[in-house]
Amino acid sequence: MPRLIIDNQKIEVPEGTKVIDAAEQLGIMIPRFCYHSALGAVGACRLCAVKFLEGPVQGIEMSCMTDARDDMVVSTDDPEARAFRRFIIECLMMNHPHDCPVCDEGGHCLLQDETVSGGHDIRRYKGKKRTFRDQYIGPFVQHEMNRCIHCYLCVRFYQEFTGYRDLAAYQIGYRVYYGRFEPGQLESPFSGNLIDICPTGVFTDKPARYRGRRWNMERSPSVCIHCSLGCNTVANARYREMLRQEARLSESVNGHFICDRGRFGFGYANLPDRPRRAEIGKNEASWTEAVRALANRLTISDGASEMKKTAVLGSARSSLETQAALAILAGSAGWPMPAYFADPHQSSVCRTVVRRLDEGLAVSMKEIERADWILAVGADPINEAPMLALAMRQAVRNGGKAGVIDPRPVFLPFDFTHLPIPREQMEFCLNHLIHSGIARQEADDAGEAVAGFYAQLPEEAEFEEAVREGISTLAEGLKQSEHPVLICGTDIVPLSTPDLAADHAHLLNRIKNTCGLFYILPGADAFGAAMLEASAESAFEDLLKAIEDGEITALMVVENDLIGAYPNRKRLETALDRLELLIVLDYLSTPTVDRADFFLPTTTVFETGSCFINQEGRLQYAEQVHAVGAPIRQLRGRSHPPREHRDEVPGGDPRPAWRAVADLVRALDLDEIRLYTSGPESWLTGSKGPFRFFQEKIYPPREGRILPAESEVAPFKSSIKKEAKKPEAGTLDILFVDRTFGAEALSALSEPIRRAEPAAAAFIHPKDASELGLSDGDSAILRFEEGDLEIPVALNNDMARGLLVIPRKPDLEWQTAGARFPRIARNRIAGVRKETE
Amino acid sequence: MTRNKPNIWKYSLSAVKGIYDAYAVSMINFLRKPVTEEYPEYKRPLPERSRGRIILTRDPDGDERCVACYLCSAVCPTSCISMESAEREEDGRRFAIWFRINFARCIYCGQCEEACPTLAIQLTPDYEFCQYEVLDFVYEKEDLLVDHGGRHPDYNFYRHAGVTEKGDKGAHPDEEEPVNLKSNMP
Amino acid sequence: MWFLGFVILLIKLAAVLGALVLLAVYLVWIERRLLAKFETRLGPNRAGWHGALQPFADGVKILLKEDLIPEGADRFIFMMAPAVVATSALLLFVVVPFGEGFTLWGRRVPMLFTDLNVGLLYVVAISTVAVYGVVLAGWSSNSLYSLLGGIRGAAQMISYELSLGLSLAPVVMMAGSFSLVDIVDAQAAYPFILVQPVGFLIFLVSTMAEAHRLPFDIPEAENELMGGYHTEYSGMRFGLFFVGEYVNMLVLGSLAAVFFLGGWRGPLLPGVVWFVLKVLIVPFLLIWSRAALPRPRYDQLMAFGWKCLIPVALVNIIATGGLMLLFG
Ligand code: SF4
Ligand code: SF4
Ligand code: SF4
Ligand code: SF4
Ligand code: FES
């Protein structure tokens, strides 16, 4: 542990710490451009120069390139060092275009700060300035190369950290250019981080271009709700309009970065057609009117305390507050307990997940970065939880091995082994792989339970050559591994896979002493939803059954697009037709909202402080960013705001969904008065609230995992099949899947995401395609019983046979298929040739 | 610390003198002619740089100078300037889609003019614009924009800053040709 | 006959009250103009001839203002306090002789309401009542500023009451009577100011403190107490305080005239005219002081009253007595 002196202060730091970090620990911020704690040092900018007075190094040196060593005496404000840094700044500013007034970085620009604090205020260089042409690099990032100071952060982030190649440094000397070879959209779904990481205004936020300076923004720490990881963000709003999101450092979740879906997906909150008025039938009403009328409809006859039995469907994208409030409403009104997943598949896998995950197994993304062997089963990280792919990449960069068992064409920005196994055989493949990676002796040493489980695993498997090779590479890796992690998806896996994955994690845990288990869930608060469903034993299937049988005639849907999410359109339509009363609460305009008899507008996560539990059981709080109300821009278009005094905010009717529930409880005169007499702290932490599962009952919560120390479910109970299930000949499996851009319900509504999303296409193996007479770009017409689905096909070698992979885009009528995992006979697929000029 | 005991007589004498002086000075002023200039009968000619009603000026090409950089609104001690910037559809120029000064709040300190990098916002010597309605003090961009360059008729921000609004990069007098990233010629 | 006397009394009352209030109201305007002159400004000169209608403009404005009573105030006392201040100032005038007197319908009409033989004591007694107005206003407003103002007012008025009384003792000694008429008569030869300059000075300073005029406006101290005891008052109730203050100035002026300047006596001009002229001297001095002097600190004010004015007044009494023994 080296001890050194920086600016007359003694400090002891771990071996290998850079002087720049040691100083930071003392609260001394040495100026820097090119050093970033996630990317390391390259010494490109020379701004971090300090003077080493005594010790092993002497004179002016770069503090980011020098390891702290014993007996060093460092001065950061030595006149010589100051002069050096000032000179560096002057050189960096030589070609600067002096366009800060029209630059969006201005106000939070590191170059501005360092120039001013470095004392460079008068330009001495009278020569001509070098210039660059800018490029179109997609809908997310704006490029303005003249402002560059050549710190290389962008390229280091883009190429080394995220593993994409299309943004690079070109040319030499002072002509070095950072961009693409040809203009075009950046390929990386993490490109938005260039905005945060570039210390100058070269890369700026394109959707928020010219919309306001940092100091104009209302900024609050928020949490991304576009997938289950719950990355930490800083949300920026101005004039009641969400304008920009930045990554917020979270050591255990997302690190320094977020993905583009999270960064640019907030557009749904600003949509001009967002419903902002309550509706009775199709007539607008005030909030109080609507709640009172609704309460009247729900009471069977005037004055009677008996209430119409109502089914309640919450949502995995709602906050925990809303989910809990619904449970309390249903409980006190004597209704069946609410369900939260419209999709029965999601409902049961998520419940398995919350039952199986415990502190012994759960890992954060930070721990994934440190893993040396990662196996993902039924998961497509880039598309289902983009930041997970980045965490896995860091593990691989550190020497780890990664593999994915998944029938889909999985792309990841690093070297990994893909085993494109059909959906039904994934479990078999997993069992076989683990069996090959663990020696019988190891299993026997780990105790009876483990040995018994191990003994059931299939030793032999018939796979194609390529798959067999992949399995043996991964098995080899597992043998060497000390920190393995299993990742289990939930979107396409068979119902039993989450259980099986947990058992394997236990197995590896017993043998290696450590093994992480990481699930991917469908929705920002899917964990909370599953927890509440599991504790109440409720499911939407049961409710739907009761509606079909006529036992229940009213349905309340909260922040859930039931029509878009339920996999069987026909069955749902029939059930909805039997309803007497459909109540919908939402902040989006969806087909479900259009059908509602009663509608109450709710607020987005940016307009209410709310809790979310991510897929590893981490409870996080997103603070309110801005007040409820229509964005000022939408009031008078591109003109000045209205010149009038008003009592209420235009478009200010929406309330948090839990408050709507509370108002309803009050109007119905139910005895749960704490719902409307006090804030969420009282009923979240109460005896029926979800916080009853947690040790620490404070609200708003501190960040932390809320898992039990040990799951109640005993491991190794999965049933294991010795034989791989054979796919049916003559049919194709269809998988409806998530995509990075365009399939997640909220972000798909965001303008920049819509521009970035690729056209909808069904992936198919070339051999299947040729059997069907299809070639790349042709359209396939799938003739289901309920109707046709037409979609262009894209050929992909890297996927299982007998499979069509179709993105679950909101505008694609995938529910006509009638099932979550439909199977279609080959003769029901017709091809339409691509039109060629 | 030892404190000198004041000499009571000296002290009293100086007190009396102080009081006497005060009375004398005020009486001398009493007998002088008042210096008040009576407005509105007499309007004092104001120097060019005196600070009154604010205008938004135009550059020599007749285009709006303001680039909606928010510096004036940031520096304004009374926060009376608000605006929203946007990209002009024709040429991508940054401009203010609306720009509002609440003169009921402005204290005519001139900080905004000081901060403006494009010399767009300027204070004029006009101060006679009282209103009965407070809302009439809220000036929109239409009310602020004039058709001249004010005190600095010649300056044009876009001739100095290296951003292009029309035309190619490197077209300004103090700039080199843009780097061709696909050529190895120096 | 008693009936005629009653009518005359009523007429006198109305005339004096009217003149007094009118004069007080005009004194506001005069003060503002004079103050402006002291500061080489013009002062209010727009309403009417040289701004002569300014008091009426002010009056209309103040009458149209909303009459606010703060929450938590003791409403009755809050409403009564301004009246106490104004009335006590007016009551003082009862014993002041403001002219020689004349004969009407065969009746001698004295130019005063009543000649009390303890007139001077009455003056001192009644002027003390004004302090109730200040204290009650300060207490009933339910505001810290007001309360502080009220307390300061009480302390200040009680302290300076002493020196006021003491400064008048030599006058009584020389006139040999408490009756104000007798005191005026005693000055037939020369006004007492010639023999009692110190007494006059003490009287003047105490007067300023009594009327809490600058530099002794500690109870109001606008820039520290925001108006002190009348912070919470608005509209005509505030106006009453104002009128009271200016009536007070006039009354103190007339007392100075009576005690030191020879009352209504003077050559050539009629007595009433002399009286009015003399009465105006004190307000002028007060205004001049306001223009010239800054406000002392509260403790300095108390120290000055107790450690300087009272001893000097006592010495003055002893000296007067000694001299009277020697020469009288
Ligand atoms: S573009 Fe930005 S991050 Fe990249 S080298 Fe230039 S200044 Fe650094
Ligand atoms: S990985 Fe998921 S949670 Fe993180 S930013 Fe992207 S969409 Fe949001
Ligand atoms: S003059 Fe001062 S107060 Fe007025 S707008 Fe400019 S900065 Fe603001
Ligand atoms: S400082 Fe100048 S250019 Fe910037 S917004 Fe204000 S007026 Fe416009
Ligand atoms: S930060 Fe050390 S050289 Fe750039």
Side-chain angles (χ1 to χ4, degrees):
Chain A
M1 296 274 279
R3 296 158 191 263
L4 66 166
I5 298 176
I6 305 176
D7 285 352
N8 301 321
Q9 299 180 59
K10 288 199 189 104
I11 185 165
E12 188 172 343
V13 289
E15 201 75 49
T17 309
K18 305 285 182 202
V19 173
I20 197 169
D21 282 335
E24 205 172 320
Q25 285 175 25
L26 283 172
I28 303 166
M29 198 69 180
I30 298 175
R32 85 255 338 242
F33 283 126
C34 69
Y35 180 72
H36 189 288
S37 47
L39 305 180
V42 289
C45 71
R46 320 309 283 170
L47 190 69
C48 63
V50 293
K51 183 149 184 187
F52 291 82
L53 303 172
E54 283 165 36
V57 185
Q58 303 254 317
I60 298 281
E61 268 308 331
M62 297 309 118
S63 60
C64 73
M65 298 295 287
T66 316
D67 283 343
R69 277 194 271 156
D70 272 329
D71 306 328
M72 275 182 166
V73 178
V74 183
S75 166
T76 63
D77 59 354
D78 185 273
E80 205 183 325
R82 278 168 178 260
F84 185 94
R85 294 197 297 255
R86 183 184 176 140
F87 177 68
I88 292 293
I89 278 284
E90 185 165 9
C91 291
L92 291 176
M93 286 297 288
M94 226 161 66
N95 292 303
H96 189 272
H98 289 191
D99 56 354
C100 302
V102 294
C103 173
D104 268 337
E105 188 85 356
H108 58 284
C109 174
L110 194 60
L111 181 58
Q112 270 183 345
D113 295 352
E114 304 290 28
T115 308
V116 172
S117 59
H120 169 60
D121 40 19
I122 296 197
R123 183 176 172 79
R124 294 191 292 169
Y125 173 70
K126 294 283 183 268
K128 294 198 164 197
K129 294 178 183 176
R130 169 213 56 212
T131 57
F132 294 109
R133 289 199 183 89
D134 308 325
Q135 287 177 330
Y136 168 80
I137 51 172
F140 296 143
V141 187
Q142 179 78 28
H143 192 222
E144 180 73 48
M145 240 327 268
N146 279 356
R147 298 171 183 146
C148 179
I149 55 160
H150 300 93
C151 68
Y152 280 86
L153 270 179
C154 49
V155 167
R156 284 160 61 212
F157 168 75
Y158 200 85
Q159 299 211 343
E160 292 170 20
F161 200 84
T162 77
Y164 288 78
R165 299 272 145 200
D166 58 318
L167 182 107
Y170 299 92
Q171 285 287 350
I172 49 167
Y174 89 134
R175 296 148 53 91
V176 174
Y177 184 92
Y178 303 85
R180 289 168 52 91
F181 191 66
E182 290 294 344
Q185 184 175 331
L186 289 174
E187 286 163 13
S188 166
F190 309 101
S191 63
N193 294 300
L194 295 173
I195 300 162
D196 288 352
I197 209 169
C198 174
T200 75
V202 176
F203 298 109
T204 49
D205 195 305
K206 196 166 198 169
R209 183 158 159 85
Y210 294 169
R211 292 305 303 276
R213 299 235 174 265
R214 167 74 66 91
W215 64 69
N216 294 132
M217 304 289 177
E218 295 177 77
R219 290 160 57 79
S220 291
S222 190
V223 173
C224 172
I225 58 167
H226 297 295
C227 82
S228 58
L229 298 185
C231 297
N232 291 200
T233 64
V234 178
N236 293 253
R238 180 164 191 238
Y239 291 142
R240 301 197 295 260
E241 185 173 357
M242 267 299 298
L243 288 184
R244 180 153 89 192
Q245 270 202 120
E246 293 151 21
R248 175 160 61 96
L249 175 66
S250 156
E251 287 296 349
S252 32
V253 184
N254 54 317
H256 287 84
F257 308 107
I258 56 173
C259 78
D260 290 351
R261 191 207 270 187
R263 185 181 297 262
F264 301 104
F266 58 78
Y268 67 90
N270 300 336
L271 288 179
D273 68 345
R274 217 185 108 184
R276 292 183 181 277
R277 292 280 289 169
E279 281 174 19
I280 305 175
K282 283 282 158 264
N283 307 317
E284 292 197 347
S286 80
W287 181 274
T288 9
E289 272 166 27
V291 170
R292 202 173 309 128
L294 178 54
N296 277 342
R297 277 295 294 273
L298 284 173
T299 1
I300 282 176
S301 58
D302 274 349
S305 59
E306 206 180 336
M307 251 172 295
K308 195 190 275 292
K309 210 169 184 201
T310 307
V312 180
L313 174 66
S315 147
R317 72 166 135 101
S318 287
S319 64
L320 189 60
E321 287 87 340
T322 299
Q323 293 172 347
L326 286 176
I328 295 177
L329 166 70
S332 64
W335 300 340
M337 288 312 276
Y340 297 92
F341 297 94
D343 175 358
H345 173 79
Q346 287 180 353
S347 169
S348 47
V349 284
C350 290
R351 282 199 235 171
T352 312
V353 167
V354 294
R355 271 192 281 111
R356 294 305 300 262
L357 206 58
D358 60 28
E359 273 300 341
L361 293 181
V363 280
S364 65
M365 286 212 278
K366 183 92 209 159
E367 289 157 285
I368 288 186
E369 287 184 11
R370 289 196 287 259
D372 56 4
W373 185 86
I374 302 175
L375 181 67
V377 185
D380 182 1
I382 272 282
N383 286 314
E384 293 176 338
M387 281 306 289
L388 175 60
L390 223 45
M392 290 167 73
R393 175 174 163 83
Q394 306 323 310
V396 172
R397 280 178 77 199
N398 296 335
K401 297 267 173 305
V404 176
I405 304 179
D406 195 290
R408 293 171 284 186
V410 173
F411 168 82
L412 287 171
F414 51 87
D415 283 340
F416 72 106
T417 313
H418 183 201
L419 307 175
I421 308 287
R423 177 168 175 262
E424 293 84 7
Q425 297 177 9
M426 283 191 319
E427 291 189 0
F428 180 76
C429 177
L430 171 68
N431 293 340
H432 175 62
L433 199 162
I434 299 288
H435 187 275
S436 340
I438 300 289
R440 180 168 303 266
Q441 192 53 48
E442 284 177 305
D444 290 346
D445 293 349
E448 208 173 303
V450 176
F453 184 71
Y454 180 84
Q456 298 175 40
L457 299 180
E459 207 172 336
E460 293 300 325
E462 288 171 33
F463 283 119
E464 299 167 27
E465 182 56 29
V467 172
R468 278 216 303 280
E469 255 169 47
I471 291 181
S472 67
T473 327
L474 285 171
E476 208 48 47
L478 180 55
K479 281 183 188 140
Q480 255 106 66
S481 157
E482 282 165 8
H483 305 290
V485 167
L486 273 180
I487 294 173
C488 176
T490 49
D491 198 19
I492 62 146
V493 293
L495 291 182
S496 50
T497 311
D499 255 330
L500 185 69
D503 285 344
H504 281 301
H506 274 292
L507 176 94
L508 296 180
N509 207 356
R510 301 269 166 96
I511 292 170
K512 310 259 181 202
N513 281 327
T514 150
C515 173
L517 176 62
F518 194 90
Y519 288 111
I520 303 174
L521 297 184
D525 201 17
F527 199 98
M531 213 160 64
L532 289 168
E533 261 197 17
S535 76
E537 305 256 324
S538 56
F540 184 63
E541 278 306 276
D542 303 341
L543 298 176
L544 197 64
K545 191 115 201 336
I547 294 174
E548 281 168 340
D549 297 347
E551 279 168 31
I552 296 181
T553 51
L555 173 64
M556 177 161 160
V557 181
V558 179
E559 296 183 344
N560 198 335
D561 177 18
L562 174 58
I563 295 180
Y566 194 74
N568 189 339
R569 174 66 51 86
K570 181 149 178 255
R571 176 169 177 212
L572 184 71
E573 290 286 341
T574 336
L576 289 184
D577 285 343
R578 298 204 58 164
L579 283 179
E580 283 171 17
L581 182 59
L582 177 64
I583 309 151
V584 179
L585 281 70
D586 210 338
Y587 47 81
L588 301 175
S589 165
T590 64
T592 318
V593 171
D594 292 343
R595 275 192 78 128
D597 303 315
F598 272 93
F599 173 74
L600 291 175
T602 63
T603 54
T604 62
V605 58
F606 306 114
E607 293 156 345
T608 339
S610 36
C611 295
F612 295 89
I613 307 180
N614 81 352
Q615 38 62 252
E616 48 153 334
R618 190 176 295 277
L619 181 63
Q620 302 189 102
Y621 187 71
E623 282 179 25
Q624 184 186 8
V625 186
H626 65 95
V628 189
I632 290 203
R633 246 272 168 122
Q634 282 166 23
L635 297 182
R636 294 208 47 199
R638 283 163 83 91
S639 171
H640 59 76
R643 297 172 61 87
E644 60 191 359
H645 299 292
R646 288 217 217 170
D647 286 345
E648 78 258 343
V649 183
D653 275 2
R655 301 193 187 183
W658 57 261
R659 184 156 289 286
V661 172
D663 289 351
L664 192 59
V665 165
R666 170 176 233 166
L668 287 171
D669 211 9
L670 301 176
D671 58 358
E672 286 290 349
I673 58 162
R674 68 210 155 102
L675 267 185
Y676 52 86
T677 50
S678 48
E681 64 281 359
S682 78
W683 39 271
L684 275 180
T685 52
S687 62
K688 288 182 202 156
F691 276 39
R692 71 180 185 277
F693 301 116
F694 310 164
Q695 269 109 40
E696 211 175 337
K697 299 185 171 74
I698 43 170
Y699 185 90
R702 277 206 290 270
E703 202 238 39
R705 268 208 293 255
I706 48 107
L707 296 176
E710 201 174 327
S711 153
E712 286 162 14
V713 182
F716 308 127
K717 294 275 182 289
S718 302
S719 67
I720 301 215
K721 296 187 195 70
K722 282 281 182 202
E723 288 293 315
K725 203 171 162 201
K726 288 272 172 290
E728 271 177 53
T731 60
L732 283 184
D733 271 342
I734 297 180
L735 290 181
F736 295 115
V737 299
D738 200 358
R739 306 294 297 163
T740 317
F741 300 132
E744 187 265 330
L746 296 177
S747 63
L749 300 171
S750 189
E751 180 61 29
I753 298 275
R754 277 228 293 278
R755 279 199 219 154
E757 80 185 47
F763 291 106
I764 187 166
H765 198 279
K767 286 193 183 137
D768 292 328
S770 71
E771 280 171 23
L772 289 167
L774 292 168
S775 53
D776 207 29
D778 290 353
S779 280
I781 300 177
L782 314 179
R783 300 201 187 287
F784 295 112
E785 272 162 34
E786 314 301 341
D788 294 353
L789 188 68
E790 180 172 345
I791 188 164
V793 294
L795 306 195
N796 198 311
N797 253 321
D798 185 28
M799 61 184 284
R801 293 284 314 269
L803 183 65
L804 263 176
V805 177
I806 300 180
R808 206 162 33 210
K809 292 204 174 204
D811 47 359
L812 200 74
E813 298 267 302
W814 60 271
Q815 299 90 344
T816 28
R820 186 65 165 73
F821 299 103
R823 176 165 291 159
I824 189 166
R826 286 176 192 248
N827 57 17
R828 295 192 70 106
I829 302 179
V832 178
R833 284 253 152 262
K834 180 166 73 171
E835 286 173 30
T836 41
E837 290 96 82
Chain B
M1 201 176 87
T2 58
R3 197 150 139 223
N4 287 346
K5 213 170 175 195
N7 179 326
I8 181 77
W9 297 113
K10 259 196 191 161
Y11 181 77
S12 308
L13 200 69
S14 78
V16 169
K17 184 170 178 310
I19 291 172
Y20 169 80
D21 282 353
Y23 277 97
V25 165
S26 43
M27 186 43 81
I28 289 168
N29 280 324
F30 185 76
L31 300 174
R32 273 174 45 195
K33 197 171 160 295
V35 295
T36 311
E37 283 165 358
E38 288 200 75
Y39 176 89
E41 287 83 11
Y42 171 77
K43 289 182 183 154
R44 180 192 265 206
L46 288 176
E48 193 201 357
R49 283 171 49 186
S50 52
R51 306 186 305 255
R53 184 172 54 86
I54 297 173
I55 53 170
L56 287 176
T57 58
R58 289 180 185 271
D59 64 21
D61 305 338
D63 218 336
E64 288 168 23
R65 264 186 178 148
C66 172
V67 296
C69 67
Y70 294 99
L71 290 184
C72 50
S73 69
V75 80
C76 176
T78 63
S79 305
C80 68
I81 306 180
S82 38
M83 77 189 87
E84 215 182 326
S85 50
E87 202 168 341
R88 199 159 66 186
E89 270 133 20
E90 309 96 84
D91 52 7
R93 180 164 164 146
R94 182 175 168 135
F95 81 118
I97 40 172
W98 56 270
F99 191 108
R100 180 180 265 189
I101 298 183
N102 182 349
F103 282 115
R105 234 149 77 182
C106 176
I107 54 168
Y108 308 98
C109 62
Q111 302 265 33
C112 47
E113 177 168 359
E114 207 55 34
C116 180
T118 64
L119 307 184
I121 196 166
Q122 295 179 16
L123 279 79
T124 64
D126 177 20
Y127 54 86
E128 294 182 296
F129 57 114
C130 276
Q131 310 286 351
Y132 281 102
E133 278 294 318
V134 89
L135 210 56
D136 293 342
F137 276 115
V138 178
Y139 277 44
E140 302 293 351
K141 188 167 135 187
E142 304 82 87
D143 312 318
L144 296 165
L145 204 59
V146 295
D147 55 2
H148 54 79
R151 279 198 294 282
H152 311 279
D154 302 327
Y155 181 74
N156 188 343
F157 168 76
Y158 278 100
R159 289 211 196 114
H160 299 273
V163 281
T164 48
E165 152 223 13
K166 310 166 180 125
D168 198 5
K169 291 271 168 122
H172 294 313
D174 48 355
E175 287 180 350
E176 289 171 5
E177 285 276 291
V179 169
N180 179 355
L181 74 131
K182 292 176 188 167
S183 153
N184 277 339
M185 300 304 285
Chain C
M1 242 9 207
W2 65 268
F3 179 70
L4 193 60
F6 192 66
V7 170
I8 291 176
L9 187 67
L10 275 188
I11 293 173
K12 258 197 319 198
L13 259 180
V16 169
L17 199 67
L20 208 58
V21 172
L22 196 70
L23 209 56
V25 165
Y26 260 91
L27 198 54
V28 180
W29 172 68
I30 292 171
E31 163 158 43
R32 289 174 65 186
R33 295 287 306 218
L34 284 182
L35 216 51
K37 275 296 285 168
F38 276 116
E39 290 159 0
T40 63
R41 292 185 286 117
L42 285 173
N45 65 347
R46 293 276 161 179
W49 178 81
H50 281 263
L53 296 179
Q54 188 67 36
F56 297 101
D58 288 346
V60 169
K61 186 189 91 168
I62 217 164
L63 278 173
L64 292 180
K65 290 265 167 179
E66 190 185 351
D67 179 22
L68 289 171
I69 299 182
E71 215 176 280
D74 187 322
R75 297 177 71 91
F76 180 70
I77 297 182
F78 185 82
M79 292 195 287
M80 291 313 294
V84 172
V85 170
T87 324
S88 70
L90 286 170
L91 273 181
L92 278 179
F93 217 76
V94 169
V95 293
V96 174
F98 44 88
E100 206 168 356
F102 52 89
T103 316
L104 186 73
W105 302 312
R107 265 181 78 100
R108 172 110 194 116
V109 181
M111 290 288 256
L112 84 167
F113 293 103
T114 171
D115 179 13
L116 282 180
N117 55 4
V118 288
L120 191 138
L121 291 184
Y122 170 84
V123 166
V124 175
I126 291 296
S127 72
T128 319
V129 172
V131 80
Y132 284 103
V134 172
V135 174
L136 292 180
W139 176 78
S140 66
S141 298
N142 188 30
S143 146
L144 279 184
Y145 288 125
S146 305
L147 189 62
L148 276 176
I151 292 171
R152 284 180 179 195
Q156 169 176 333
M157 285 168 91
I158 288 169
S159 313
Y160 281 79
E161 200 69 39
L162 280 178
S163 45
L164 184 79
L166 290 176
S167 73
L168 291 179
V171 172
V172 178
M173 286 156 68
M174 289 171 70
S177 162
F178 280 113
S179 153
L180 269 59
V181 176
D182 292 349
I183 291 174
V184 172
D185 286 345
Q187 297 178 68
Y190 51 87
F192 281 160
I193 186 172
L194 294 180
V195 287
Q196 281 296 339
V198 178
F200 178 70
L201 269 181
I202 297 173
F203 178 79
L204 199 67
V205 173
S206 314
T207 312
M208 287 185 199
E210 278 294 287
H212 27 86
R213 295 271 313 164
L214 230 101
F216 294 128
D217 66 337
I218 296 269
E220 298 167 24
E222 255 128 13
N223 33 12
E224 43 194 277
L225 293 187
M226 332 198 46
Y229 60 89
H230 61 59
T231 304
E232 302 295 340
Y233 283 87
S234 63
M236 202 47 220
R237 264 179 240 290
F238 172 73
L240 269 183
F241 276 121
F242 224 69
V243 170
E245 177 176 338
Y246 282 84
V247 169
N248 217 354
M249 273 165 80
L250 286 174
V251 169
L252 292 169
S254 39
L255 292 179
V258 167
F259 294 139
F260 293 100
L261 303 177
W264 44 267
R265 284 173 192 282
L268 301 176
L269 294 171
V272 182
V273 178
W274 268 116
F275 185 75
V276 170
L277 284 180
K278 287 178 182 172
V279 163
L280 286 179
I281 288 176
V282 168
F284 178 78
L285 287 177
L286 291 183
I287 292 165
W288 188 3
S289 310
R290 173 169 178 185
L293 299 177
R295 182 188 310 127
R297 240 168 34 214
Y298 181 58
D299 60 324
Q300 290 170 335
L301 175 101
M302 295 310 276
F304 181 68
W306 287 97
K307 293 189 191 163
C308 179
L309 277 191
I310 293 179
V312 172
L314 286 172
V315 169
N316 191 29
I317 294 173
I318 295 166
T320 308
L323 287 176
M324 279 172 71
L325 277 182
L326 276 181
F327 300 104

